[in-house]
Amino acid sequence: MPSPSLLLRALHADITTLDCDAIVNAANSSLLGGGGVDGAIHRAAGPALREACRALNGCRTGEAKLTPGFRLPARYVIHTVGPIWRGGRQDEATLLAACYRNSLELARQHDLRTLAFPCISTGVYGFPAHLATPIALRTVREHGAGFDEITFCCFSTADLRLYEAALAGTK
Ligand code: ADP
């Protein structure tokens, strides 16, 4: 059961600007940087992030690993690897839920209380946003006990609308 104090919110923002205990990165399995939100996080955090990631020896789809945030306002970055959308019959939904669940679990192990998630897998990896949003929200509601605030950081107004509707329970 989620804690009664857990605050969920959707925000239209660049995740690299958010001042919270950890931001989540939608990385690729090499963890050595890529485009999209991954590229933005590496640019903002500076080259020390790449060095820290190199020492992690990659990350499997659905798993999560932690680094410091370096030059970011966020103290830590949780790197998770979302599934590539292949039509929906390759365990994509389960793997996407695992990204959120394992990120929360890792944050909890490090006593991090405020987190921000991007819309994992819905960019280059092609997961339809209208299917990803309820998975993200359900998983965070189920596994978010003990956190103070969890932000769904939307980079587009279309994503923001999806999250606002889902949070209001209309979708
Ligand atoms: P993936 O490969 O997991 O699909 P992408 O980075 O391509 O990852 O896209 C994931 C989501 O991150 C998309 O919704 C994209 O619009 C969003 N995004 C891209 N840049 C940023 C950013 N600076 N802050 C927050 N979200 C971002």
Side-chain angles (χ1 to χ4, degrees):
M1 281 288 287
S3 71
S5 62
L6 173 64
L7 180 65
L8 297 179
R9 63 172 185 164
L11 201 65
H12 187 204
D14 174 349
I15 203 165
T16 64
T17 66
L18 299 185
D19 182 0
C20 47
D21 289 340
I23 60 170
V24 176
N25 181 15
N28 59 47
S29 57
S30 76
L31 295 187
L32 297 179
V37 70
D38 194 11
I41 288 173
H42 276 272
R43 276 193 301 279
L49 180 61
R50 181 140 311 136
E51 290 315 306
C53 283
R54 205 182 296 283
L56 296 175
N57 291 314
C59 183
R60 291 202 190 91
T61 303
E63 295 185 355
K65 294 194 175 179
L66 187 83
T67 66
F70 299 102
R71 293 182 194 155
L72 290 164
R75 288 162 50 217
Y76 292 93
V77 180
I78 292 173
H79 306 264
T80 188
V81 181
I84 297 171
W85 179 258
R86 293 192 171 92
R89 297 185 174 201
Q90 309 281 326
D91 267 347
E92 293 96 326
T94 308
L95 289 166
L96 185 64
C99 288
Y100 286 91
R101 197 179 60 244
N102 287 324
S103 296
L104 291 167
E105 192 49 47
L106 189 57
R108 186 175 289 113
Q109 284 164 14
H110 291 268
D111 209 20
L112 310 180
R113 308 293 290 268
T114 57
L115 294 186
F117 283 98
C119 304
I120 300 167
S121 280
T122 66
V124 170
Y125 280 5
F127 204 120
H130 71 283
L131 301 179
T133 304
I135 294 169
L137 193 53
R138 188 181 338 115
T139 309
V140 168
R141 280 194 171 129
E142 283 173 9
H143 299 276
F147 290 93
D148 291 340
E149 184 174 69
I150 297 179
T151 300
F152 295 103
C153 180
C154 301
F155 204 52
S156 70
T157 51
D159 283 337
L160 181 68
R161 275 196 291 273
L162 278 175
Y163 273 93
E164 283 179 341
L167 284 166
T170 58
K171 215 149 184 211

